[in-house]
Amino acid sequence: MSRLASGLQRLRRSSSQWEVLWSALASCGLVLFSQLAVAMVPRLFPFLSLLAMLPIAGLVFIAAIVLGRLWRRFIGVAASAPLFVLFNILLLWGVYVFVIRRETSSLLDMLINAECTLLLWGFYRILSGDPGIVACDSSYLEEAGCKDFVEAIYSSEKLPMLSRVRQCTWCKANIRGYDHHCPAFGTCIGQKNHRLFMALLTGFVVAESTYTMCSTKYITRCISSGTIRSENPVSLNIVISTTLFSILQVLWQIVFLMWHIYCICFNIKTDEWINWKKYPEFQMKEQPRSDSEVKFVNPYDKGMLCNIREFLKPE
């Protein structure tokens, strides 16, 4: 069982095929609009280097997403974040196959096609998988002496079987080993799909880096060989815009990946790090007085090697 993001939930619950179609079209349209907006950057600033275009492209992309969301709200069409990610993967893959591929070596060609295929497979797996949902059982409440399941979770020291079960504020699911809700993948990240999430995040960084390398070679060869003027300006601008998009994605994804590696090494979840004051097991008072300062302590940290082994241990 999987808790998808609100957009994907609307797709599944909808009894109308037209709503599904309009949502898919809205997501696809938002991808095309944002990419075409970024493609205007090399069109308007052809004298700038890729590095100089990056901050401009970032601002244009954010503005395009905001305008796209406002337009969707105006026309009343619900889009889906997972579909937005899916269409971006397909767009990058399509630009590579139809434009960049002829300038790429056979080895790189096999590599990038394999990476995109694995990304789509992993994307499907994480969307359709169970993040570790724990069903609300009345026997838990009776044993812990709590009024509701959320209270039982916060008092998990009374009930070891609910240890590290947290409630997602986005989809209200109770997830064992809950880390965060990921709108991009349309599901909560918990004990059962955390490893797949890390593999996917790493896969996105690797695939987008490979794409950036291939597209940069294509642009460089066009410039050095003097064929840049004979190239279709639309396709060339799309290659540059998708390259800028990939670089921007890699920059924040590397930071995000490093954060999750840190959390794995110290056996702490993102939700626990942010909301540790909500969970008694992370609180330590210097003195027994009620007004004494509460400090953070991680009772789950067993040392870096043990923490990594615990994370990699199969269910």
Side-chain angles (χ1 to χ4, degrees), residues 7-8 10-12 14-31 68 71-81 83-84 87:
L8 200 60
R10 283 194 289 268
L11 292 180
R12 285 189 168 183
S14 172
S15 59
S16 170
Q17 293 183 353
W18 285 108
E19 288 185 24
V20 176
L21 177 62
W22 284 118
S23 183
L25 288 175
S27 302
C28 183
L30 188 57
V31 169
W71 174 248
R72 287 191 293 104
R73 288 184 182 181
F74 178 74
I75 62 177
V77 176
S80 167
L83 285 178
F84 181 81
F87 286 133

Side-chain angles (χ1 to χ4, degrees), residues 39-289:
M40 292 302 295
V41 175
R43 180 80 174 174
L44 297 174
F45 306 98
F47 51 88
L48 294 178
S49 65
L50 279 177
L51 188 60
M53 289 181 189
L54 268 180
I56 303 174
L59 293 174
V60 169
F61 182 78
I62 292 171
I65 294 297
V66 171
L67 286 174
R69 287 184 175 179
L70 290 175
W71 174 248
R72 287 191 293 104
R73 288 184 182 181
F74 178 74
I75 62 177
V77 176
S80 167
L83 285 178
F84 181 81
V85 174
L86 174 63
F87 286 133
N88 268 307
I89 297 172
L90 295 177
L91 176 66
L92 293 182
W93 200 359
V95 172
Y96 168 77
V97 170
F98 293 107
V99 183
I100 303 172
R101 190 177 189 178
R102 63 178 182 267
E103 301 289 344
T104 307
S105 66
S106 299
L107 181 60
L108 270 178
D109 181 55
M110 288 190 297
L111 181 63
I112 195 168
N113 282 299
E115 288 169 355
C116 291
T117 303
L118 288 173
L119 275 183
L120 292 177
W121 177 78
F123 194 67
Y124 167 75
R125 286 290 306 275
I126 202 166
L127 278 173
S128 59
D130 175 19
I133 293 176
V134 177
C136 179
D137 192 332
S138 59
S139 62
Y140 292 160
L141 307 183
E142 294 176 3
E143 188 172 342
C146 299
K147 297 179 181 179
D148 54 43
F149 201 68
V150 176
E151 184 183 346
I153 291 173
Y154 289 156
S155 306
S156 58
E157 70 275 4
K158 300 178 183 178
L159 209 59
M161 65 187 69
L162 292 182
S163 175
R164 303 196 93 170
V165 175
R166 317 295 184 197
Q167 185 177 71
C168 174
T169 56
W170 185 296
C171 59
K172 306 303 179 184
N174 302 307
I175 310 294
R176 187 176 303 280
Y178 175 73
D179 187 86
H180 70 287
H181 185 95
C182 182
F185 292 155
T187 188
C188 295
I189 305 304
Q191 182 173 307
K192 290 188 177 181
N193 66 356
H194 202 167
R195 289 185 295 277
L196 177 57
F197 169 78
M198 290 297 293
L200 264 177
L201 184 56
T202 304
F204 270 98
V205 171
V206 172
E208 287 161 348
S209 299
T210 307
Y211 178 85
T212 300
M213 182 173 59
C214 294
S215 60
T216 303
K217 284 184 177 180
Y218 171 82
I219 297 167
T220 304
R221 286 180 184 177
C222 286
I223 295 173
S224 61
S225 63
T227 59
I228 190 166
R229 291 184 179 180
S230 62
E231 289 291 323
N232 186 330
V234 175
S235 62
L236 184 59
N237 287 336
I238 288 294
V239 170
I240 297 174
S241 70
T242 50
T243 303
L244 293 169
F245 173 77
S246 297
I247 295 172
L248 291 170
Q249 289 288 100
V250 168
L251 288 176
W252 78 262
Q253 286 169 356
I254 285 178
V255 175
F256 199 47
L257 180 62
M258 289 174 63
W259 162 253
H260 280 283
I261 291 173
Y262 167 83
C263 289
I264 291 167
C265 290
F266 292 95
N267 203 351
I268 185 77
K269 308 296 182 183
T270 301
D271 175 72
E272 293 171 344
W273 180 269
I274 296 172
N275 301 308
W276 65 272
K277 290 185 177 180
K278 290 166 54 177
Y279 307 120
E281 66 265 38
F282 292 98
Q283 301 172 22
M284 181 183 70
K285 291 186 177 181
E286 290 187 332
Q287 297 178 2
R289 299 196 314 270

Side-chain angles (χ1 to χ4, degrees), residues 26-40:
S27 302
C28 183
L30 188 57
V31 169
L32 293 176
F33 175 67
S34 60
Q35 291 291 346
L36 289 174
V38 176
M40 292 302 295

